[in-house]
Amino acid sequence: MGGMSGPYVIRGSVSLPEAELQWRFSRSSGPGGQHVNTSDSQVELRFDLANTDSLPDVWKARALERLASRLVDGVITVRSSEHRSQWRNRETAAVRLAALLAEATAPPPKPRKPTRIPRGINERRLREKKQRSETKRGRTGRDWG
């Protein structure tokens, strides 16, 4: 398994710029036996969203707005420590960041256009309601007995 399997595509032709990713490695609390105490397998991936030029301006504005609660000084951080190997944690972190940015930069959904009910159908519904109410009114036990 040599090298990273990049580039990590966000959407279309836009992908995560390898040069703008900052990696930090530390000891992980995840699985790993005795090996875990000596290896820095936890990965922290940082991406400066506020100062990047690799995203289209519209996307950047959208992402900054939607991820506002997760940003620290315009930087988004993703951690990964579920694998024993640092390489796999790097993969996971990068894929997670790409997915996060893809979601945050997605265009807003189109507004829903309410459908119009044809007049005939509405009239039929009202007619049937009236008939049903007549049927039920006929069931009252006033004139029995």
Side-chain angles (χ1 to χ4, degrees):
M1 289 202 258
M4 298 287 291
S5 67
Y8 296 96
V9 177
I10 296 173
R11 197 170 51 256
S13 59
V14 181
S15 54
L16 279 179
E18 198 63 57
E20 293 182 36
L21 300 179
Q22 299 161 337
W23 299 92
R24 261 192 32 211
F25 308 101
S26 55
R27 298 215 175 125
S28 171
S29 62
Q34 290 128 335
H35 175 70
V36 81
N37 304 327
T38 57
S39 65
D40 293 344
S41 59
Q42 174 171 291
V43 171
E44 188 178 289
L45 174 58
R46 294 162 63 87
F47 178 63
D48 192 346
L49 188 58
N51 300 318
T52 184
D53 293 324
S54 58
L55 294 179
D57 290 341
V58 190
W59 286 24
K60 193 161 127 178
R62 248 185 242 151
L64 284 169
E65 188 185 328
R66 291 185 187 165
L67 298 173
S69 59
R70 287 198 56 166
L71 297 174
V72 180
D73 298 333
V75 176
I76 185 148
T77 308
V78 176
R79 272 198 198 86
S80 172
S81 60
E82 48 267 26
H83 301 293
R84 280 185 63 164
S85 86
Q86 186 191 93
W87 186 81
R88 283 180 64 192
N89 278 331
R90 279 178 71 134
E91 288 282 295
T92 310
V95 167
R96 217 180 271 166
L97 179 62
L100 197 67
L101 288 173
E103 200 176 307
T105 58
K110 288 193 171 70
R112 180 182 173 277
K113 208 170 110 194
T115 50
R116 277 203 56 213
I117 299 169
R119 206 167 96 211
I121 289 178
N122 209 18
E123 285 174 357
R124 188 181 73 195
R125 182 181 64 89
L126 293 173
R127 231 187 0 261
E128 285 170 0
K129 262 174 82 108
K130 204 163 265 167
Q131 206 170 358
R132 185 101 183 112
S133 98
E134 287 299 314
T135 308
K136 290 188 170 192
R137 265 186 64 194
R139 289 183 189 154
T140 54
R142 279 192 309 248
D143 31 330
W144 294 3

